[in-house]
Amino acid sequence: MTELLDNARLGWQDFTDAGKYAALLAASLLFLWMTGRKKTHKTFLIYTAVTAVCCVLPPVAAGLMLYQTKFYDYQWIWSLVPMTAVIAYGAVCLLDDCWPGFRLSEWKRGVPVLILLLAVLLLSSGLGSNVPDGEEIQKRAAAESTLEQVQAEMQGGKICLWAPAEILEYAREKDASIELLYGRNMWDEWLNAYAYDTYSEELVSLYQWMEEAACPETRADIAAVAGVSDGRSAMKMATEKVDTAIKAGANCILLPGNLEESVVRGMEKKLSVRVVNIDGYYLLIA
Amino acid sequence: MTKNCSGADWIPATAVAVTGIAEFSHLCGVFLNRSFHFCALLFGGLAAAAILLSAVIFLAAAGKKRKKNEKQAKRKDGAEKVLLFLFVILVLSQLLFVFAHQPVYRQGDMTVETVGSFLQSDTVYGVNPMTGRAYEQGLPSRLKILCLPTLYGVLCRLFSVPPKTLVWQIAPMLTLIGCYGAYASLAVSLFEEDTKKRRAFLIAVALLICAGGYLYGMDGFGILYSGWRGVTIRNAVLIPWTFSLCLRKKWLLAFVCVIAEACLVWTLYGMGACLFVLIGMGVIDFLCRRAALGRSRRREAAE
């Protein structure tokens, strides 16, 4: 319960730090109330005021978070408050009070209010600070290009892939026929709510090894990646991991291109796999 | 206050009807172990029948309205046209943004993978969408009855569209249209016969959506960056329509939104936001009426 209360308190802080729609809602409600609109849509305005207060007060907000399940974050309890509708309603009523009937012949009365309202809106919007950027588009395009090459090498055969997260992230979106040893839910924990399945320790260790191997900071020194002191042990560990992945069902393995060629060639002989160089990766076909 | 249905109600009502048909097809797939192909055919057949039925009702309603409008023909104000023009420009720009804009907020969401799995395996939840392999422990039954992936999958199959295009580009456009339909319906409830105020209200809503994309969970963010999700459809279409219906005291129809939400959003032990809105509005309306009755009785007694 303490955790829930803290989430409610911190959630409110985040909610008001990012933008100021909550302040706009309060201003709109106050304006509608004071100008007598409560008579026409009393139920609507009382409901909005009551639910907004409930969302602000941490104990009640925590109760609402419980109601909508812990699965959703604090901001989702604001779904219960008709924020957009009430702010828009207040804005139209204010504009109508200053510029009755929106008559085009009296546009000079409306323009200053319109400019004021637009400026307030712009300042309340956080100026798009948290908007998703285009970086993911480039990552997806690069991953899809690699996956296309993998599919070409496999010549339409069944693929069960083990690769760094940067590739696996987009594999099932690109083509649902590609099977994976583990999916996006390995690193996006929210997705674990969609199934009771869990990953074995073996698969988790495969994921950890692959991510360490693919990490740019450690690429230069694969021995350090493996946590061992000499190249021979590093090769042994890499071979063990690849062997484990093949036993788990993977027939198509993408290893980061920074691995020493000798390590990969060693695997080729020892595990009887075919090695192909693609897009900065070694593709091992079992 | 007008108690009749307005033309704007058609859009959210269609969204709810499509949800109902998708849910029926989805449940057939899940509980009768039918193939996804069968679900698509069932959905197509039911949707065609529903379209035919609504076309008949729409034509009959339009005929009645035309006669009424002929009697009450009035000239349109210039301001009305300007407001309509502004609104259309805003909506078109948002539709274009949603269709062309690739950055999508997909954290915690696996709709594309789920739709792809349905199409690939020709089953409903036959394989784990994350790996493409069979489920080991299964999935929560509350999740199993949510119909959105089936709806998107069926549309992909019927129109031969890739899952990514349908989920990330087309579905958000449909949500956006549904959103303005719901807000248009709310505008009718709030401003009744004043067309200019209704249009100004819709423009204000469009601007708030544009500017409100600053935080995950806000209406604007949901519509512009994750319009395919159930929670976005709930917040943008179902809740505004529920308010509109509650304001017109159409409580039974508002309850349909509660059921639609249960088919779209994972509410677990919470009963959903639409039910909260419905009960909240109902209780406050009841208390307000009781207070008004008490006041009028006291006034009568004083006289």
Side-chain angles (χ1 to χ4, degrees), chain A residues 28-38 41-42 45-46 49:
Chain A
S28 183
L29 273 174
L30 202 66
F31 169 75
L32 292 168
W33 207 262
M34 290 176 76
T35 51
R37 258 82 178 194
K38 67 176 188 288
H41 298 297
K42 203 173 184 176
L45 297 181
I46 291 176

Side-chain angles (χ1 to χ4, degrees), chain A residues 67 101 131 144 172 184 197, chain B residues 109 117 137 164 196 225 270:
Chain A
Y67 172 80
V131 173
E144 286 183 351
R172 298 269 310 149
R184 199 148 59 87
D197 291 9
Chain B
D109 179 84
S117 301
Q137 308 281 330
K164 266 200 296 190
K196 275 190 274 189
Y225 300 108

